[in-house]
Amino acid sequence: MHRNHVLVAMDAHTIAQGARAVRDALMRNLEMTSLTSEVKVVETGSLGIYNRGVVLVIFPENVYYVGVKVEDVAEIVSEHLIKGRVVERLHYTDVPVEKAAEMGAAPRFGKQQRVVLKNAGIIDPESIEEYIARDGYEALGKALTEMKPQDVIEVVKKSGIQGRGGAFFPTGLKWSFAAAEEAKQKYIICNADEGEPGTFKDRLILEGDPHCVIEGMALAGYAVGADMGFIYIRGEYRMSIDRLNRAIQRAKENGLLGENLFDSGFNFNIEVREGAGAYICGEETALIESIEGKRGEPRDKPPFPPSVGLWGMPTIVNNVETLANVPQIILKGADWYKSMGTEKSPGTKVFTMVGNINNPGLIEVPMGTTLREIIYDIGQGIPEGKGFKLAQMGGTTGGILTGAHLDLPMSVEALREIGSGLGSGALLVVDDSQDVVELVENFVEFFNHESCGKCTLCREGNGRLLELLQRINSGKGHVADLNLMEELAVTMMKGAFCGLGQAAPVPILGCLKYFRDDFVRKIEAAEMAAAA
Amino acid sequence: MKTLADLRAIKEKAKKEMATREQSAKYRISVAMGTCGIAAGARTVMSAILDELSKRGIQDAAVSQTGCLGCCDQEPIVQVTDADNRTITYGKVSAEMARKIIASHVQDGKVVSDHVFDMA
Amino acid sequence: MQDLTRVDEIVGRYADTKTPLIYILKDVQKEYGYLSDVVLTHIAKKVDIPLSEIYGVATFYSLFTIKPKGKYVVRCCNNAPCHVKKSKEVLEAIKSYLGLEVTETTECGTFTLEFTSCLGLCAVAPVMMVNDEVYGNLTPEKAVAILKDYKMKGQSNA
Ligand SMILES: Cc1cc2nc3c(=O)[nH]c(=O)nc-3n(C[C@H](O)[C@H](O)[C@H](O)COP(=O)(O)O)c2cc1C
Ligand code: SF4
Ligand code: FES
Ligand code: FES
């Protein structure tokens, strides 16, 4: 292993200014000081710095030297590489920002902490051996040979992990409910329906590291006394479905699913069930109806699934990300888990960043990272020099955040305090060139389309809201419509049957609260144009 | 699977196999093949890599696939890891770029720096 | 009259699955292109579930269709993350190129235009699917160019 890498830029400019001679001097010097096994010289193309002579970068410190001459090499080696002191005379600090990001200072990864995603993008997801090589199935082995089911629940409870499906219900507590039920058959369901617009974390976990979800489900099964699991997955996620099926097959072949695992008498099997395109099937009771082959309409609660679930039996429904955390919690302990994140929301959270943002994509950060760090450090801000208008956290049913919330820590408790939540972890960033009223119409179009139609308030309420918004956007609205919308939204929030109808008003009310002026301006401008 | 010892045996074996693969291969090349990567063209990149390796008769390079890294705007992503476990991540790789990476980085040890977006 | 022997075979495939209806409908649709009344009636008999219930399921899920569709089904995403990346402009361009409103099929049976809900590819928004292929980072011009290719392909295969 080399402790340092020295990159020598070798492009037409630097070569013309003596880069080859500097490289040779560097190699000779490293040999003389016996550093060749510790320091590696790498030739690269242009580093994006021109007319500054020969350019070197030393990693991992990420120090740039410019104008390096053959006679400077000995000093760089003895000062920097041996004594660890930067040679200020040649030090170049004016590194173009994007170049610095590209060259390893990447804040994109810097503020991240990968727990759930520790294997994603690193191992071959088709290889169970690579998963095992990175401590895979060790937690299951430990639980089955050294722990009682009750102990597993205790560790999960103590870790403080809350469900990542959006409601953030304490996972250990949920498991203890199902464990307490007496029943011939219990089930574990992994919720991989992931329909919330902007969300794709579960797909990524399943595609990149399917075994950690399988292991998490088996641990849940052992903890509550279930020997059968289902993964309910969006039908559109073809690749995840194929990978999961193959992963399940490999786990069976290796005796990590099936009968009498680790000689403990515990059996566990998993089947994949595909959804057929209905957002509401992400709601746990609608999901259960769908597995039962029916229309996915939510059931009355209580009773809750841990008592009466799939085919009437006690059932745990957990999100993919929740289950993916479990093996590491069992292996490394509750205290390790609690050392990350905030006191009330331990652990990390996977977010998907979408919309008007320079670095869209998937990130994993400790709970409590501020919105500003996420958008501006990891996300690298808003493109085209535009300003920040709003962010929506948690998908289309998520709450609205404004510039005033940029320093708010993204944790369950901080968002709860402002009447919002983390939801699915999708973060939609919206720049100031966007029309908020049209955006809200887009939200309501979604709800109107996805309402399952079971209850009138949600079915008719979303329809009415959509009419009102279309009216405003086509220039025929009245300021009084805004009050009507608010009333309707509040009624839906209180009276709708399930989470969809109750959450749909959240972003609408948020936008009306923070951006009422935008609505009023639009209405008045249209009125004025009509009068003129 | 009967005991934890059985599991650890697989683990040790897998680790060894991975290590020999890593040692015997001067370079390890991995292509992020999630839905996203594939939508962005990872499949053509993968076949360009395999084709270029065989055309050049390079045998000490191991090619594998991984899930996606979550840097969507950079897909397709190709990572090249050398014998010292230094990984260079290339973003927005086209089939043509992939061929250049094989020719320059894998064959001649020269990083193709204009497409690098991360080093670790 | 449609040949229903394939339906029987598909139903048989799931004899061991508890509550297999959605799987049967999926496979049957793959085989026949859509779920016609005749086919649904036949399934109802086979699995002993009332036709009304089967019909209810077939119309509830967006991946099922009870109408025949075009050779190429163009599905545009218009959810919020795509919306802020100007998916509407892309949709309008597609509508005018194909001469279709959403859910319609061209007379020649080549194209059907539909919405899709978010495909989780919002980082390369705006996004559309043509059958199983996904296209990202669309502009109105790019989308139309892609559809032109399909149109040519459709004609040369015809
Ligand atoms: C309309 C609606 C849609 C939902 N969609 C999902 C989903 O796609 N994935 C998910 O895990 N949970 C979803 N949920 C939450 C589930 O009902 C349930 O709370 C969750 O799967 C429990 O898992 P957890 O405890 O691990 O969070 C949804 C809830 C509602 C009301
Ligand atoms: S609130 Fe909406 S989605 Fe939920 S049950 Fe009622 S109609 Fe269906
Ligand atoms: S989801 Fe894979 S790169 Fe974005
Ligand atoms: S919103 Fe269009 S792909 Fe997600």
Side-chain angles (χ1 to χ4, degrees):
Chain A
M1 265 309 274
H2 294 108
R3 65 171 165 92
N4 280 103
H5 284 79
V6 183
L7 266 62
V8 187
M10 287 282 189
D11 57 81
H13 300 266
T14 55
I15 290 174
Q17 295 175 82
R20 285 218 175 93
V22 168
R23 176 201 56 196
D24 294 343
L26 189 60
M27 304 288 248
R28 269 199 311 279
N29 229 288
L30 291 176
E31 236 157 69
M32 268 154 37
T33 48
S34 316
L35 283 177
T36 39
S37 63
E38 287 173 50
V39 179
K40 184 170 164 122
V41 178
V42 184
E43 294 176 17
T44 77
S46 167
L47 289 166
I49 300 168
Y50 303 103
N51 301 323
R52 294 265 182 176
V54 178
V55 184
L56 305 183
V57 194
I58 302 190
F59 281 107
E61 301 90 322
N62 204 24
V63 167
Y64 280 66
Y65 290 116
V66 295
V68 181
K69 302 253 163 46
V70 171
E71 9 348 333
D72 301 323
V73 168
E75 188 181 349
I76 293 177
V77 170
S78 70
E79 280 298 298
H80 191 139
L81 293 173
I82 297 178
K83 298 184 195 133
R85 289 194 290 243
V86 174
V87 182
E88 287 306 335
R89 185 168 62 82
L90 303 168
H91 190 191
Y92 181 73
T93 46
D94 199 14
V95 180
V97 180
E98 28 160 301
K99 211 66 199 175
E102 280 176 11
M103 302 308 289
R108 188 200 286 268
F109 292 124
K111 291 219 168 162
Q112 296 199 41
Q113 185 172 9
R114 295 205 159 188
V115 173
V116 174
L117 299 172
K118 78 173 171 123
N119 289 333
I122 294 178
I123 64 167
D124 177 351
E126 306 267 348
S127 160
I128 193 170
E129 287 81 12
E130 290 195 16
Y131 178 68
I132 291 173
R134 287 170 67 89
D135 302 333
Y137 290 107
E138 186 106 17
L140 183 62
K142 175 175 161 183
L144 294 188
T145 55
E146 294 167 9
M147 298 165 83
K148 290 205 214 42
Q150 189 53 36
D151 302 338
V152 174
I153 294 183
E154 279 313 311
V155 175
V156 173
K157 257 191 188 165
K158 219 174 131 231
S159 77
I161 183 173
Q162 302 143 310
R164 266 38 174 172
F168 291 87
F169 189 83
T171 306
L173 190 60
K174 189 190 269 188
W175 289 11
S176 69
F177 295 153
E181 296 285 336
E182 290 285 339
K184 276 212 300 282
Q185 175 76 57
K186 298 179 189 175
Y187 296 106
I188 305 295
I189 295 176
C190 168
N191 187 345
D193 197 46
E194 195 161 67
E196 193 61 73
T199 316
F200 44 97
K201 65 183 178 76
D202 296 342
R203 187 194 81 216
L204 242 116
I205 296 169
L206 292 169
E207 279 177 4
D209 197 8
H211 286 285
C212 76
V213 180
I214 293 174
E215 188 180 2
M217 287 178 74
L219 284 163
Y222 179 64
V224 308
D227 65 0
M228 186 64 212
F230 290 93
I231 301 177
Y232 185 88
I233 183 164
R234 276 186 76 171
E236 291 94 334
Y237 281 6
R238 279 298 2 135
M239 171 169 269
S240 313
I241 294 168
D242 294 345
R243 285 215 175 128
L244 266 175
N245 278 319
R246 280 197 292 271
I248 291 170
Q249 191 52 38
R250 297 290 287 134
K252 278 189 187 149
E253 287 162 13
N254 282 273
L256 293 161
L257 282 178
E259 314 286 296
N260 193 21
L261 306 178
F262 287 95
D263 213 11
S264 62
F266 172 66
N267 308 332
F268 198 71
N269 280 301
I270 297 180
E271 261 180 42
V272 175
R273 287 296 183 111
E274 293 172 30
Y279 166 80
I280 190 63
C281 288
E283 196 282 333
E284 54 189 10
T285 59
L287 185 160
I288 288 171
E289 289 280 302
S290 181
I291 295 187
E292 293 183 3
K294 305 184 208 146
R295 291 166 68 97
E297 286 174 6
R299 293 178 179 172
D300 242 330
K301 292 198 259 189
F304 291 95
S307 338
V308 182
L310 187 58
W311 295 302
M313 296 298 167
T315 302
I316 291 293
V317 181
N318 271 139
N319 173 258
V320 172
E321 186 187 346
T322 315
L323 291 164
N325 269 295
V326 169
Q328 293 188 72
I329 292 175
I330 298 302
L331 203 58
K332 299 187 189 155
D335 290 333
W336 163 79
Y337 192 75
K338 278 198 298 201
S339 73
M340 300 179 290
T342 66
E343 200 190 322
K344 290 192 181 131
S345 336
T348 61
K349 179 77 196 86
V350 182
F351 292 104
T352 45
M353 243 185 317
V354 300
N356 306 123
I357 183 99
N358 276 318
N359 280 353
L362 175 107
I363 62 167
E364 180 174 355
V365 292
M367 280 274 196
T369 305
T370 66
L371 188 60
R372 190 188 300 280
E373 284 172 297
I374 294 176
I375 296 179
Y376 288 95
D377 293 346
I378 305 174
Q380 298 271 294
I382 290 159
E384 298 165 30
K386 290 183 181 146
F388 172 75
K389 176 98 184 181
L390 64 92
Q392 187 182 25
M393 174 57 94
T396 299
T397 51
I400 300 295
L401 301 168
T402 67
H405 300 119
L406 276 172
D407 290 306
L408 197 69
M410 294 296 110
S411 67
V412 180
E413 64 277 12
L415 282 157
R416 229 169 240 165
E417 209 158 285
I418 61 161
S420 198
L422 288 173
S424 70
L427 178 66
L428 172 67
V429 181
V430 178
D431 72 32
D432 57 6
S433 73
Q434 303 280 342
D435 180 332
V436 173
V437 191
E438 277 180 16
L439 184 66
V440 174
E441 182 184 327
N442 180 279
F443 294 161
V444 178
E445 241 171 51
F446 174 78
F447 301 134
N448 192 47
H449 183 253
E450 299 298 346
S451 165
C452 81
K454 183 184 172 112
C455 64
T456 326
L457 256 183
C458 165
R459 189 181 61 229
E460 302 301 324
N462 279 312
R464 284 290 293 141
L465 283 172
L466 186 58
E467 277 168 30
L468 287 170
L469 283 155
Q470 282 167 341
R471 204 157 88 185
I472 298 174
N473 276 322
S474 60
K476 300 189 199 96
H478 308 287
V479 175
D481 291 347
L482 301 181
N483 296 336
L484 204 60
M485 276 167 55
E486 256 160 356
E487 256 171 60
L488 202 57
V490 170
T491 319
M492 282 168 64
M493 203 144 103
K494 288 190 190 139
F497 185 78
C498 87
L500 195 159
Q502 293 156 12
V506 171
I508 304 165
L509 290 171
C511 284
L512 278 169
K513 174 171 166 194
Y514 298 120
F515 302 106
R516 200 182 182 90
D517 282 354
D518 291 45
F519 288 82
V520 173
R521 234 180 290 129
K522 187 154 195 176
I523 294 167
E524 287 179 351
E527 277 171 352
M528 251 149 62
Chain B
M1 197 70 57
K2 289 288 170 217
T3 62
L4 262 180
D6 292 348
L7 182 73
R8 300 222 166 101
I10 298 187
K11 180 170 173 176
E12 288 319 311
K13 192 162 153 252
K15 270 189 167 165
K16 249 188 229 132
E17 272 169 17
M18 280 161 78
T20 31
R21 198 171 55 199
E22 281 166 21
Q23 277 155 15
S24 64
K26 209 159 125 209
Y27 287 100
R28 278 169 288 141
I29 305 163
S30 73
V31 184
M33 299 267 257
T35 305
C36 39
I38 289 173
R43 276 217 183 95
T44 46
V45 167
M46 179 60 114
S47 41
I49 288 176
L50 296 174
D51 182 57
E52 198 64 30
L53 286 172
S54 79
K55 255 200 226 149
R56 291 173 181 273
I58 300 174
Q59 300 199 326
D60 52 357
V63 183
S64 65
Q65 59 168 354
T66 67
C68 106
L69 291 150
C71 310
C72 312
D73 55 321
Q74 294 291 335
E75 292 279 1
I77 292 176
V78 173
Q79 295 186 302
V80 180
T81 306
D82 65 17
D84 299 314
N85 261 329
R86 224 185 114 67
T87 299
I88 305 280
T89 305
Y90 293 101
K92 298 194 177 167
V93 178
S94 61
E96 195 189 334
M97 265 300 303
R99 290 181 190 277
K100 205 158 124 198
I101 292 169
I102 300 302
S104 162
H105 190 158
V106 176
Q107 190 155 50
D108 296 342
K110 281 199 194 106
V111 175
V112 187
S113 72
D114 38 337
H115 282 253
V116 171
F117 85 97
D118 185 60
M119 293 187 182
Chain C
M1 190 65 197
Q2 273 167 306
D3 172 16
L4 296 170
T5 49
R6 299 283 298 138
V7 177
D8 297 346
E9 198 257 311
I10 289 165
V11 172
R13 225 180 263 172
Y14 295 102
D16 292 336
T17 312
K18 215 168 166 180
T19 56
L21 182 58
I22 290 175
Y23 274 86
I24 293 174
L25 294 180
K26 255 193 186 167
D27 287 6
V28 168
Q29 176 165 309
K30 204 182 258 166
E31 188 68 35
Y32 292 85
Y34 72 108
L35 301 169
S36 67
D37 285 352
V38 179
V39 160
L40 290 177
T41 314
H42 188 71
I43 295 175
K45 256 188 256 148
K46 279 269 157 195
V47 296
D48 199 19
I49 297 176
L51 178 61
S52 58
E53 198 178 319
I54 294 193
Y55 193 78
V57 170
T59 50
F60 183 82
Y61 295 97
S62 67
L63 295 185
F64 294 139
T65 171
I66 53 170
K67 275 194 316 205
K69 283 193 189 169
K71 185 166 176 187
Y72 302 117
V73 181
V74 182
R75 305 172 77 205
C76 291
C77 176
N78 192 35
N79 285 166
C82 276
H83 169 87
V84 303
K85 302 286 267 192
K86 314 234 177 306
S87 54
K88 213 171 197 165
E89 291 172 14
V90 172
L91 180 66
E92 291 306 321
I94 293 175
K95 273 190 194 167
S96 87
Y97 176 69
L98 297 178
L100 294 178
E101 286 300 316
V102 178
T103 73
E104 289 178 351
T105 301
T106 48
E107 253 167 52
C108 54
T110 312
F111 289 105
T112 298
L113 181 60
E114 287 184 351
F115 278 130
T116 170
S117 50
C118 170
L119 295 163
L121 294 162
C122 342
V124 290
V127 172
M128 73 169 175
M129 268 178 107
V130 182
N131 293 352
D132 284 335
E133 285 297 314
V134 186
Y135 299 91
N137 286 327
L138 293 176
T139 57
E141 299 75 38
K142 223 164 126 182
V144 169
I146 292 166
L147 294 180
K148 267 192 188 141
D149 282 349
Y150 276 100
K151 195 177 217 169
M152 297 225 308
K153 216 162 78 185
Q155 278 162 356
S156 62
N157 290 353

